Amino acid sequence: PPPPAVMAAEFHPRAGKLVSLLNGGRTAKRSKPTEEFNHGLAVSRQPLADGQLFQVRIDRKVNSWSGSIEIGVTALDPNTLDFPSSATGLKGGSWIISGCSVLRDGRSVLEEYGQDLDQLSEGDKVGIQRTVGGELHLWVNGRDCGVAASGLPAQVWGVVDLYGKCTQVTVLACENLPRREETSRVTTSTTTPEEGIAGMELSDVVNNAILSAYGGTLLNVSLGSPLDGSCSVTSNDALLFHEKCGTLIKLSNNNKTAERRRPLDEFNNGVVMTNRPLRDNEMFEIRIDKLVDKWSGSIEIGITMHNPNNLDYPSTMTNLRSGTIMMSGCGILTNGKGTRREYCEFSLDELQEGDHIGLMRKSIGALHFYINGIDQGVAANQTLSTVYGVVDLYGMAVKVTIVHNHNHSDRLRRNNAIMRALSPDVGRRVFDSGITEVERLLFHPNCGQKAAIVCDGRTALRPHATDDFNHGVVLSNRSLRSNEIFQVRIDKMVDKWAGSIEIGVTTHNPAYLQLPSTMTNLRSGTWMMTGNGVMHNGTTILDEYGHNLDRLKAGDTVGVMRKEDGSLHFFVNNVDQGLAASNVPSSVYAVVDLYGQAAQATIIDDIDLPPLPDEPVDGSNQISPCSLFALTPSNDLRFHDLHGNNAVITNGGRTAFRQNCRSEFNDAIVISSRALREGEMFEILIQKMVDRWSGSIEAVNIENPPYLGVTAIRPEDLEFPSTMTDIDYDTWMLSGTAIMQDGNTTRNNYGCDLDSLTTGSRIGMMRNLNGDLHYYINGVDQGVACSGLPPELYAVVDLYGQCVQVSITSGSPPVDNSLSLSNATEKSFPIHSPVPGIAHRFHSNCGKNVALQNDGCRAVRIHGFSHGVVLSLKELRSDEVFEVKIDEIDEQWSGSLHMGLTTLQPLDASCTSSGLPSTLLELRSKVSWLVSGSEVRRNGTLQKQNYGFSMERLTVGNRVGVKRASDDTMHILVDGEDMGVAAAGIAKNVFAVVDLYGKVVSVSIVSSSALEEPECTKLPSMSSDNCSEEEEELSPCENEGAVFRATVEFMENHGRNILLSSNGHTASRVASYNQGVVASAHPLPRQLLFQIQIDRLNSQWTSSLSLGVIGNSPERFNFPGTASSIKRSAWLIQRDSVFHNSLKICDNYGPNLDTCPEGTVLGLLVDNTHGLHLFVNGMDQGVAAQDIPNPCYVVIDLYGQCEQVTIVANDVMATGGDGGHLRCQGDVEKADVVDGIKENLCWTPPPEVNRMKTCEYQALCARFKELLPLPDGYFDEELKCNLCYCESCHKLRGDEAYYKRGDPPKDYALPFGWCRFALRLNPRCEVANVYKKWHTAYHGTCVGSLRRALDHGELVSGSASIFCSKQTKAELQNGYNDPEENSQEKDIVKVSLSPTMRYVGLDRFCPKIRFKDVKSQRHHQAQVAFQVCVRPGSYKVGPQSVGASESIDPRFSNNEIEWITKERASTVLYGLLIRVE
């Protein structure tokens, strides 16, 4: 049949009375959206055609109402329809979907259908479809929610109700959707060709190359499913571990992971088996996740005929004497007895974490074992048809995981691991190029007694750097040649010691030298740079030379060079520090002293591992070692070894600098090692500038000859002039603000000025596909500079004038794993990675609008602006960068890409009912950290603003990466530049997550995962013990806490006005009001309380101390004037606010520290969830900040009034409970009643824990009390029972606002803002339990009534006072002499009470009196009141009588806030309350 006519995507002109149509009838808007919530019906202009989707986009919502958009169909003709107020009022054949319900003619016919429409957001799309069979389908954001109703008539109109929150929608183009069967057929037919292409994998090529490289000695390399009749398993019965297992086994990860408990105490009882028998030709493969070094022996794997349900598990599988074949070590055991001693060259005892072990029972009955994907051959010829896989986590083996996805990425990684295992020199072979190989500079094996040489001589380390600070001397394996630089990168440092790396040269041959503890002790033939001085034979010859080596950090580089004239030069971060010594002999060895903080260093040179081979163009998979190298594309962009006379190339060709920068300003032209590809960014970072010259960097492009034979300049043919402006052909360049071609200016006032750039600026350039040249400043496109450029261009930089040193940003960081893509197609492979590895992949579980391409390397959002969440295929390792490049953007949308880390496993996302959310901001089912725009969020909650580079500014070509650093922090990288710490406290097992949101439509992965490293490349552990994840790592480290408590002191590095005393336990500010920042000498362990006491305050100043933590070691920190100026990794509590990096993140936290008196004890604690707590006099004030990094250091600012603090020695871990504040006898301020009255309350005061002095407000109230003619005998002699409820004091105690008292219990509020003076207790009341069983209330009065009430011990009528001569209005109000009472009732007392001072503290009840303070001679106003106990049942609860229109106290209703009692002896005085203004 012919296709139905296309329906116009418009609304009918007749609509609800509040609907107005815009945009040619395509947009419907409800008028008065904040005043009316209904009358918003809109109907399609024409009836719906069969199979046609009528879809609208929600444009606008308001939050004034509940409910939202409703959508459906109706058989009523809109031309004659009397529109009801809402769609649910439609009758006569109408089907409406409201929320998640389906209604027919206003009555619900289906509950819990589809997606809740009330939860949709602006930008979401919702539509309805009537199928040919008369079924109604709902579509939400392109997803069919299934059949909502059936039996629809042939002619129906679409209905949309702009109800509640939804105020505006727009009709989208109506689509003809094929039936599901057609869609299925189309999908099947389109995927078949791809499956055929996918049969030719890159790993086939690589493995054949491996076979050729080793002369065919490696046999049976498994690349996929076996070829001998293997079949793929189509059942959902996945191979898992059986629930019944060894007594020490713990299963996790849906029974895919097995772990042996107590691995340091027990070495056996770790047997696990598969949940079902193995099928023929089915691979059972596991990955070793964790090993310990305590035991001998390791993992064993094999098969057994025994059913795990019936097996009595032995302590080890070798004890089983029937039906079992196990591989143990390198041999085969059958029924516990050795049958093949040397089965293969590999021993299971030598495998490392990350290695894979597998087995397979072939269809012919033969058993094969696999190690990292390599078939080890036949282990047994005949096995039973029904066998189970079995693993014995024995000895060193602690944890394994079943591997299900045997894809080519995993096999490629394993094959490379096998290559490294078989030959340590793989990847470093020098292929025959006709050039004589130069002996490589390495470390000599003879080294200091506390040093070790690893990684084939490239890396030197002190394995126990925290135990010793010297004996770390290492020398080069050969003498240096003239003008040869010996350069090392500092890999690892420790904070325990002073001093750091030292470097130099010596005439002593390392083979015969008896190495000293430190090279400065050698008294002959030695020149060393130490700190910022130079020493010759142990004697200083230069005091102030170059950069101070003691200030270097991990990642910095140091080098030494002896030039032809015998002069010695040192280099720091590739910068020549100048002449250090002269007349140095020709035959000298380089020497490095890993002293003090320096724990590990690696030699840097220009020799790198060859990149992975690209896929052959012709599809051939037979290549030789020579062709392997020939197929390798050019390396990443570097500087060419040909350059100007004054230029020096270092850092593997990635850094260029101009030598003699203060005497020479030109002759420093450098050129890229290869031509730029189309659309490829060439970007450099300016690392050093001098202010001696005018002018700055000049960046140019030089034409390379195209294939049409145009003349051009190759680097080999270029005669490098003094400046690039001297080249008069085939050259385009930017100099200052001028665009020049062939030395002539073609354009002035271009969008950027290179002369204005400073150190740290990034300048890049790119030729796009149209031949236009663009420049970029710090990633921002400056527009078209010139057009019509040929496709092959070399990048050239002229280090002219002020610019001294630059580095290429794309690949210079030593740990960066970015990849460069060359004309990426669906079958192209990353060409090179500074860290050898396999390309990252996206997981197949992704947002519903995402399509994955290029074998999971590219993600494209195919619909809408949301539902574009994708996750990495695997968890990220520490310091592993997951990086994507933006391929396409759509400017019609706002918003941009979101990126971060999540603990959500991709497989778990498919198990939830809703799958992945529409946007990453809504991902809250698991802990997630993300960067959106310039904001950092955790589970959707804002954590940080103004972070790094705004994601909103990303465009095509930009690269964005995420990294979980080894210190549990998240970093975002933009175009290779680390934006710094985005969040801390990141979990260990996290996946990278990217949200293709808004304008970002597609991205491609440009990073790789690092290969499993051999033992020699792993950094040494600073811990001497191995601990299990379950037992040791989750609990606080007691040893660490003990060490911290034993050595707790302030660090010697502090603010300049600080003087330390008492062995570093006391810090005093000796001058001014600032420059008083001090820090702890050691990191603060988790769950350990660090406390200080305020010793001395000076009222001359305002404000007071602040305290917090910093994430960086303060040992070499240059402390600012105040701690609030620390803007990197700092959390500070100041006054009653919390600041992070100088930005306020929390208000009204704890007491105001400015009001803390002398004697106050303040403490800081970081809990196991990385939350920072403040303790005041032992009371926890709650979490002040989250995601505190580990390690962190306590920092205290002795500012303003605070002049001295002392560390309080204590062994108290986290404290809690309710008893932290003071109580007097009979005073219970915490919740004393839980489920009724507690009969065993202790009424004696607890031991004194608060040594603080009386606060100034309490002292002022006490001085006013002394003015009152009240005998001291009425008041309690224990001054500590007097409680001040000012803001500072009640927060210091941790008081809550409301408590319960009495039988039955009743709420009352603490008198915040008042000061209570405790009255002497009546013994008879104590016997009657009055203070425990009666309710607590307050009574406002005037000073004239105080004495009479105290004389009677209760509230009575009448008054007499020297302060007033007549009855006050307040007394009349309180009813002591009510004129309306008759003569018989004139003596009846009528007293007004309230459970809150907010009511009786009003001026109407508590008149103010003016007085002069005898100390300050200032005038104040005071009020007085009583805190009383009132007998339950003696009073009536009534409404307020002051005419208040608003709530007086949020805890008490205005109708129940005033209590009236007329009974005598129903009240007992408890305390006198005073408030002074």
Side-chain angles (χ1 to χ4, degrees):
V6 177
M7 183 188 72
E10 298 176 14
F11 287 115
H12 197 281
R14 295 192 71 241
K17 67 179 183 180
L18 292 182
V19 173
S20 55
L21 300 181
L22 311 170
N23 193 20
R26 296 182 62 240
T27 299
K29 179 181 180 182
R30 190 182 82 229
S31 304
K32 302 178 182 178
T34 59
E35 300 175 16
E36 297 286 346
F37 59 87
N38 52 12
H39 294 290
L41 270 179
V43 185
S44 62
R45 188 179 185 92
Q46 298 176 12
L48 303 185
D50 290 343
Q52 206 159 36
L53 178 64
F54 177 70
Q55 185 174 226
V56 298
R57 181 186 66 233
I58 300 176
D59 296 334
R60 188 170 302 167
K61 296 184 72 174
V62 296
N63 294 319
S64 306
W65 315 103
S66 60
S68 187
I69 188 173
E70 298 175 345
I71 192 169
V73 295
T74 181
L76 302 175
D77 190 340
N79 292 299
T80 58
L81 177 62
D82 184 13
F83 283 84
S85 61
S86 67
T88 55
L90 288 171
K91 312 294 183 183
S94 301
W95 291 262
I96 301 299
I97 302 170
S98 174
C100 53
S101 301
V102 181
L103 297 91
R104 178 177 181 180
D105 293 342
R107 301 184 63 179
S108 177
V109 295
L110 180 61
E111 299 290 342
E112 301 301 328
Y113 165 76
Q115 184 171 342
D116 190 351
L117 300 186
D118 294 346
Q119 303 302 318
L120 297 183
S121 306
E122 293 180 358
D124 283 336
K125 301 173 185 177
V126 58
I128 43 113
Q129 174 196 26
R130 180 199 178 278
T131 66
V132 177
E135 295 178 338
L136 178 66
H137 286 247
L138 173 70
W139 292 73
V140 178
N141 290 320
R143 189 185 69 174
D144 186 357
C145 296
V147 177
S150 58
L152 271 66
Q155 180 170 287
V156 290
W157 283 263
V159 176
V160 177
D161 191 355
L162 305 180
Y163 181 78
K165 294 181 180 180
C166 181
T167 64
Q168 181 175 312
V169 298
T170 296
V171 180
L172 303 178
C174 295
E175 305 175 19
N176 253 67
L177 297 177
R179 293 191 300 272
R180 292 187 177 184
E181 312 87 77
E182 298 172 355
T183 306
S184 177
R185 287 195 296 270
V186 171
T187 304
T188 304
S189 63
T190 56
T191 57
T192 302
E194 293 180 0
E195 293 172 356
I197 296 174
M200 188 176 300
E201 297 183 354
L202 176 62
S203 57
D204 297 334
V205 179
V206 175
N207 279 336
N208 281 288
I210 295 171
L211 294 177
S212 300
Y214 286 94
T217 57
L218 295 180
L219 301 178
N220 299 322
V221 178
S222 175
L223 296 179
S225 301
L227 301 178
D228 51 345
S230 65
C231 60
S232 61
V233 178
T234 58
S235 170
N236 291 327
D237 186 13
L239 200 60
L240 304 172
F241 287 125
H242 197 280
E243 292 182 351
K244 184 180 178 183
C245 49
T247 57
L248 290 181
I249 288 295
K250 178 186 73 173
L251 299 180
S252 59
N253 191 20
N254 294 325
N255 289 0
K256 289 191 295 184
T257 298
E259 181 176 4
R260 192 180 82 237
R261 295 185 176 94
R262 299 181 6 231
L264 301 180
D265 300 327
E266 299 285 345
F267 57 87
N268 52 14
N269 289 308
V271 177
V272 284
M273 295 174 61
T274 57
N275 61 332
R276 60 168 173 80
L278 302 179
R279 300 184 177 94
D280 289 347
N281 302 310
E282 179 182 17
M283 172 74 80
F284 170 57
E285 186 175 30
I286 60 170
R287 179 186 67 239
I288 301 176
D289 293 333
K290 189 173 183 180
L291 299 169
V292 295
D293 295 330
K294 184 173 182 179
W295 314 105
S296 61
S298 187
I299 193 169
E300 298 175 351
I301 187 172
I303 60 174
T304 182
M305 60 174 280
H306 297 281
N307 189 316
N309 291 303
N310 307 323
L311 179 64
D312 185 12
Y313 279 82
S315 60
T316 174
M317 281 302 293
T318 54
N319 293 344
L320 210 57
R321 300 305 182 187
S322 62
T324 304
I325 302 175
M326 300 291 293
M327 180 177 178
S328 176
C330 57
I332 301 297
L333 301 176
T334 303
N335 299 331
K337 297 182 179 180
T339 54
R340 294 186 63 179
R341 181 172 297 179
E342 297 292 339
Y343 164 63
C344 66
E345 297 180 2
F346 293 97
S347 173
L348 300 188
D349 298 344
E350 298 174 355
L351 296 183
Q352 302 296 318
E353 294 177 358
D355 283 332
H356 291 224
I357 317 169
L359 62 85
M360 180 185 297
R361 181 195 177 278
K362 303 280 187 176
S363 57
I364 59 175
L367 176 65
H368 290 243
F369 288 96
Y370 297 79
I371 297 181
N372 287 323
I374 294 184
D375 190 348
Q376 303 302 303
V378 177
N381 291 315
Q382 291 296 328
T383 59
L384 298 175
S385 59
T386 301
V387 291
Y388 293 81
V390 59
V391 177
D392 192 349
L393 295 179
Y394 179 80
M396 295 189 294
V398 174
K399 185 179 181 181
V400 297
T401 296
I402 295 177
V403 179
H404 285 148
N405 53 331
H406 315 291
N407 57 38
H408 75 270
S409 299
D410 285 334
R411 291 192 294 274
L412 183 59
R413 178 189 57 76
R414 297 176 208 144
N415 290 337
N416 280 276
I418 293 298
M419 290 172 63
R420 292 199 310 273
L422 291 176
S423 174
D425 297 326
V426 168
R428 297 193 178 98
R429 299 179 177 181
V430 179
F431 295 91
D432 186 11
S433 59
I435 303 175
T436 303
E437 181 181 359
V438 177
E439 184 184 359
R440 190 176 188 182
L441 269 175
L442 301 171
F443 287 120
H444 195 278
N446 183 28
C447 56
Q449 65 185 54
K450 296 299 176 64
I453 307 299
V454 296
C455 300
D456 300 325
R458 297 186 64 190
T459 298
L461 58 94
R462 289 194 349 262
H464 305 289
T466 56
D467 298 334
D468 277 291
F469 57 86
N470 53 13
H471 292 288
V473 175
V474 288
L475 285 81
S476 61
N477 62 331
R478 62 169 173 82
S479 59
L480 299 182
R481 296 177 176 84
S482 296
N483 299 319
E484 181 182 22
I485 188 170
F486 175 82
Q487 188 169 223
V488 298
R489 181 187 69 232
I490 303 175
D491 296 332
K492 190 170 186 178
M493 303 186 73
V494 296
D495 296 330
K496 186 173 181 179
W497 314 108
S500 188
I501 193 170
E502 299 174 354
I503 190 170
V505 295
T506 182
T507 58
H508 297 278
N509 190 318
Y512 312 110
L513 177 64
Q514 184 176 355
L515 295 169
S517 61
T518 175
M519 279 303 291
T520 54
N521 293 343
L522 211 56
R523 301 304 181 186
S524 62
T526 303
W527 292 260
M528 297 292 296
M529 181 179 178
T530 170
N532 60 345
V534 178
M535 302 184 74
H536 175 43
N537 297 336
T539 302
T540 301
I541 57 175
L542 285 177
D543 275 329
E544 297 294 334
Y545 171 81
H547 189 90
N548 193 333
L549 300 187
D550 294 343
R551 298 185 180 276
L552 297 181
K553 303 294 183 184
D556 289 331
T557 62
V558 291
V560 62
M561 176 191 293
R562 180 201 174 275
K563 298 197 173 183
E564 286 181 341
D565 58 2
S567 62
L568 187 68
H569 290 247
F570 292 99
F571 296 80
V572 177
N573 289 324
N574 306 308
V575 177
D576 191 346
Q577 305 299 298
L579 178 65
S582 302
N583 301 319
V584 176
S586 58
S587 180
V588 289
Y589 294 81
V591 57
V592 173
D593 192 347
L594 296 177
Y595 180 78
Q597 296 181 348
Q600 179 173 312
T602 297
I603 297 175
I604 298 176
D605 54 24
D606 292 338
I607 303 177
D608 290 301
L609 294 173
L612 295 173
D614 204 355
E615 188 170 20
V617 179
D618 59 359
S620 171
N621 57 4
Q622 300 295 330
I623 56 177
S624 64
C626 295
S627 61
L628 178 66
F629 183 77
L631 286 171
T632 302
S634 301
N635 287 340
D636 275 349
L637 274 174
R638 302 186 184 186
F639 291 119
H640 203 281
D641 54 5
L642 298 176
H643 47 72
N645 293 331
N646 289 330
V648 177
I649 306 299
T650 62
N651 192 20
R654 301 181 182 94
T655 299
F657 66 92
R658 189 177 78 244
Q659 58 185 351
N660 303 322
C661 58
R662 295 193 174 274
S663 59
E664 298 287 345
F665 62 88
N666 55 9
D667 277 327
I669 297 172
V670 290
I671 187 170
S672 62
S673 59
R674 61 165 174 82
L676 303 181
R677 302 183 179 97
E678 292 185 357
E680 180 181 19
M681 169 78 80
F682 175 82
E683 187 180 52
I684 55 173
L685 172 69
I686 301 177
Q687 294 181 313
K688 184 176 181 181
M689 301 184 73
V690 295
D691 55 6
R692 180 175 176 83
W693 315 101
S694 62
S696 186
I697 188 174
E698 295 178 352
V700 302
N701 288 281
I702 301 178
E703 183 183 354
N704 193 45
Y707 297 108
L708 299 178
V710 177
T711 304
I713 307 174
R714 300 173 58 88
E716 296 81 3
D717 301 332
L718 178 63
E719 296 179 1
F720 288 87
S722 59
T723 66
M724 286 308 298
T725 55
D726 294 336
I727 300 180
D728 56 3
Y729 64 103
D730 296 329
T731 305
W732 295 260
M733 64 178 293
L734 172 63
S735 177
T737 61
I739 304 297
M740 305 182 70
Q741 180 177 354
D742 301 341
N744 299 315
T745 300
T746 60
R747 177 182 174 185
N748 281 313
N749 299 319
Y750 180 60
C752 65
D753 183 3
L754 295 189
D755 292 343
S756 65
L757 298 183
T758 59
T759 302
S761 298
R762 291 180 291 118
I763 172 72
M765 54 189 172
M766 178 193 298
R767 177 200 177 275
N768 61 22
L769 298 177
N770 299 326
D772 298 333
L773 181 65
H774 291 245
Y775 285 90
Y776 295 78
I777 303 296
N778 295 323
V780 179
D781 190 351
Q782 305 298 306
V784 177
C786 47
S787 303
L789 275 69
E792 294 289 331
L793 300 172
Y794 283 87
V796 178
V797 178
D798 191 352
L799 301 177
Y800 182 79
Q802 296 179 350
C803 183
V804 174
Q805 178 174 313
V806 298
S807 283
I808 299 175
T809 62
S810 58
S812 57
V815 296
D816 185 20
N817 60 346
S818 302
L819 294 169
S820 177
L821 291 176
S822 172
N823 300 328
T825 64
E826 287 196 4
K827 298 301 291 181
S828 66
F829 195 80
I831 62 170
H832 177 72
S833 171
V835 178
I838 59 172
H840 283 129
R841 296 285 189 274
F842 289 123
H843 199 280
S844 57
N845 288 339
C846 52
K848 63 185 179 183
N849 286 342
V850 173
L852 299 182
Q853 301 174 356
N854 296 6
D855 197 18
C857 285
R858 188 169 188 259
V860 181
R861 193 182 73 239
I862 55 178
H863 294 298
F865 64 92
S866 58
H867 288 285
V869 178
V870 287
L871 294 94
S872 61
L873 180 65
K874 297 182 179 180
E875 295 175 357
L876 294 189
R877 299 186 183 94
S878 293
D879 293 318
E880 181 180 11
V881 177
F882 183 95
E883 191 174 42
V884 299
K885 184 183 74 174
I886 298 178
D887 294 335
E888 182 182 358
I889 62 173
D890 188 351
E891 294 293 349
Q892 72 166 316
W893 305 110
S894 61
S896 185
L897 174 139
H898 306 152
M899 194 169 200
L901 299 171
T902 180
T903 57
L904 175 69
Q905 296 197 16
L907 291 175
D908 294 342
S910 61
C911 299
T912 61
S913 58
S914 58
L916 290 169
S918 61
T919 174
L920 196 49
L921 295 171
E922 300 172 4
L923 181 55
R924 300 175 186 176
S925 60
K926 296 288 186 179
V927 182
S928 303
W929 300 263
L930 67 103
V931 175
S932 171
S934 58
E935 296 178 344
V936 181
R937 294 181 176 270
R938 183 180 186 268
N939 286 357
T941 303
L942 180 64
Q943 302 291 310
K944 184 184 296 186
Q945 291 180 319
N946 301 317
Y947 168 75
F949 183 92
S950 175
M951 297 286 192
E952 304 286 347
R953 297 164 57 188
L954 295 174
T955 185
V956 173
N958 284 137
R959 293 181 290 114
V960 189
V962 63
K963 175 179 72 172
R964 178 196 172 278
S966 56
D967 60 350
D968 297 340
T969 57
M970 181 179 79
H971 295 242
I972 296 295
L973 297 88
V974 178
D975 291 328
E977 182 180 358
D978 194 336
M979 298 291 106
V981 175
I986 306 299
K988 294 187 181 302
N989 302 319
V990 290
F991 293 77
V993 58
V994 180
D995 188 0
L996 302 179
Y997 183 80
K999 67 179 182 180
V1000 176
V1001 175
S1002 69
V1003 297
S1004 293
I1005 296 177
V1006 292
S1007 60
S1008 70
S1009 60
L1011 291 171
E1012 297 293 330
E1013 296 185 347
E1015 178 76 13
C1016 65
T1017 64
K1018 295 183 179 178
L1019 298 180
S1021 172
M1022 290 293 105
S1023 173
S1024 59
D1025 296 326
N1026 294 287
C1027 53
S1028 74
E1029 295 178 2
E1030 179 183 7
E1031 297 170 16
E1032 284 84 1
E1033 291 181 0
L1034 295 180
S1035 63
C1037 182
E1038 296 178 0
N1039 292 336
E1040 183 184 14
V1043 171
F1044 181 85
R1045 287 193 291 269
T1047 61
V1048 59
E1049 59 187 6
F1050 291 122
M1051 182 170 284
E1052 286 294 332
N1053 185 30
H1054 47 66
R1056 67 171 180 236
N1057 288 337
I1058 287 293
L1059 175 66
L1060 298 183
S1061 58
S1062 302
N1063 296 323
H1065 289 78
T1066 298
S1068 306
R1069 195 183 74 241
V1070 295
S1072 188
Y1073 62 91
N1074 59 1
Q1075 296 289 345
V1077 182
V1078 291
S1080 61
H1082 302 282
L1084 179 63
R1086 290 316 195 237
Q1087 286 296 118
L1088 192 74
L1089 183 60
F1090 180 97
Q1091 293 192 110
I1092 55 117
Q1093 175 180 293
I1094 300 177
D1095 295 334
R1096 188 170 68 244
L1097 298 175
N1098 186 345
S1099 59
Q1100 171 188 352
W1101 309 106
T1102 60
S1103 298
S1104 189
L1105 93 168
S1106 57
L1107 71 167
V1109 295
I1110 56 177
N1112 300 317
S1113 173
E1115 183 170 356
R1116 298 181 180 179
F1117 194 76
N1118 185 16
F1119 285 107
T1122 64
S1124 59
S1125 300
I1126 303 176
K1127 298 184 178 181
R1128 185 173 181 85
S1129 192
W1131 290 261
L1132 195 69
I1133 303 171
Q1134 185 176 357
R1135 296 184 296 277
D1136 60 350
S1137 302
V1138 184
F1139 295 79
H1140 176 45
N1141 296 342
S1142 298
L1143 298 176
K1144 184 184 291 186
I1145 61 175
C1146 179
D1147 259 326
N1148 300 316
Y1149 172 78
N1152 190 335
L1153 298 185
D1154 289 351
T1155 63
C1156 290
E1158 293 178 2
T1160 304
V1161 177
L1162 303 175
L1164 291 174
L1165 178 142
V1166 180
D1167 59 31
N1168 284 329
T1169 61
H1170 312 288
L1172 176 66
H1173 295 248
L1174 171 68
F1175 284 74
V1176 181
N1177 293 320
M1179 289 299 299
D1180 188 357
Q1181 306 299 311
V1183 177
Q1186 295 178 331
D1187 296 333
I1188 303 300
N1190 191 13
C1192 65
Y1193 295 78
V1194 175
V1195 62
I1196 301 166
D1197 189 358
L1198 277 65
Y1199 182 80
Q1201 294 183 353
C1202 184
E1203 290 190 338
Q1204 180 174 305
V1205 298
T1206 297
I1207 296 174
V1208 177
N1210 68 88
D1211 293 330
V1212 181
M1213 302 301 282
T1215 60
D1218 297 334
H1221 66 282
L1222 295 175
R1223 303 179 187 176
C1224 70
Q1225 186 176 0
D1227 179 21
V1228 182
E1229 300 294 2
K1230 286 290 179 182
D1232 294 329
V1233 181
V1234 179
D1235 298 329
I1237 295 295
K1238 290 183 180 178
E1239 297 296 336
N1240 57 351
L1241 292 177
C1242 177
W1243 293 101
T1244 58
E1248 183 175 355
V1249 295
N1250 188 354
R1251 296 168 299 186
M1252 58 186 256
K1253 299 179 181 178
T1254 304
C1255 82
E1256 284 300 317
Y1257 179 76
Q1258 188 177 17
L1260 177 61
C1261 293
R1263 291 195 294 271
F1264 171 76
K1265 171 180 164 293
E1266 295 299 321
L1267 296 177
L1268 303 176
L1270 303 176
D1272 292 338
Y1274 287 125
F1275 295 92
D1276 196 305
E1277 296 177 355
E1278 290 289 336
L1279 296 179
K1280 66 181 183 181
C1281 292
N1282 299 333
L1283 288 181
C1284 178
Y1285 290 95
C1286 70
E1287 180 184 10
S1288 176
C1289 288
H1290 81 73
K1291 287 186 176 181
L1292 284 171
R1293 292 191 300 270
D1295 292 338
E1296 298 179 13
Y1298 303 95
Y1299 295 93
K1300 292 181 182 293
R1301 175 77 63 81
D1303 184 12
K1306 204 168 186 68
D1307 287 345
Y1308 72 100
L1310 288 192
F1312 289 165
W1314 295 72
C1315 186
R1316 188 187 74 194
F1317 295 90
L1319 297 175
R1320 188 182 297 274
L1321 303 177
N1322 189 327
R1324 288 179 297 176
C1325 294
E1326 288 187 88
V1327 173
N1329 248 348
V1330 167
Y1331 301 108
K1332 175 179 178 181
K1333 294 189 176 182
W1334 287 20
H1335 295 152
T1336 296
Y1338 304 95
H1339 173 74
T1341 185
C1342 68
V1343 295
S1345 302
L1346 294 177
R1347 178 63 185 267
R1348 182 175 177 83
L1350 291 172
D1351 288 343
H1352 288 78
E1354 65 175 320
L1355 300 177
V1356 295
S1357 62
S1359 66
S1361 173
I1362 62 173
F1363 288 91
C1364 54
S1365 58
K1366 63 180 181 179
Q1367 229 173 15
T1368 65
K1369 180 179 179 181
E1371 291 170 0
L1372 294 174
Q1373 172 64 34
N1374 284 347
Y1376 292 105
N1377 287 309
D1378 193 335
E1380 297 181 4
E1381 298 284 350
N1382 57 37
S1383 60
Q1384 285 97 8
E1385 298 177 339
K1386 65 180 181 179
D1387 292 329
I1388 296 178
V1389 178
K1390 181 181 179 183
V1391 179
S1392 296
L1393 305 167
S1394 178
T1396 173
M1397 281 302 298
R1398 293 190 182 186
Y1399 180 67
V1400 296
L1402 298 175
D1403 291 351
R1404 183 172 180 178
F1405 302 107
C1406 295
K1408 296 178 180 178
I1409 184 170
R1410 193 166 182 264
F1411 76 100
K1412 184 177 182 179
D1413 181 26
V1414 295
K1415 180 180 179 181
S1416 65
Q1417 298 298 310
R1418 296 174 58 187
H1419 289 276
H1420 300 273
Q1421 288 185 324
Q1423 294 172 288
V1424 292
F1426 282 114
Q1427 185 177 10
V1428 301
C1429 295
V1430 56
R1431 187 175 70 246
S1434 67
Y1435 60 90
K1436 293 184 179 180
V1437 177
Q1440 53 90 14
S1441 58
V1442 296
S1445 58
E1446 297 180 354
S1447 176
I1448 298 174
D1449 191 312
R1451 188 65 169 260
F1452 305 99
S1453 168
N1454 280 5
N1455 294 324
E1456 300 177 347
I1457 204 169
E1458 185 171 305
W1459 300 352
I1460 304 296
T1461 180
K1462 297 181 181 180
E1463 296 184 20
R1464 288 189 179 275
S1466 63
T1467 59
V1468 173
L1469 301 184
Y1470 181 75
L1472 173 64
L1473 299 176
I1474 296 177
R1475 179 167 64 183
V1476 176
E1477 296 177 352

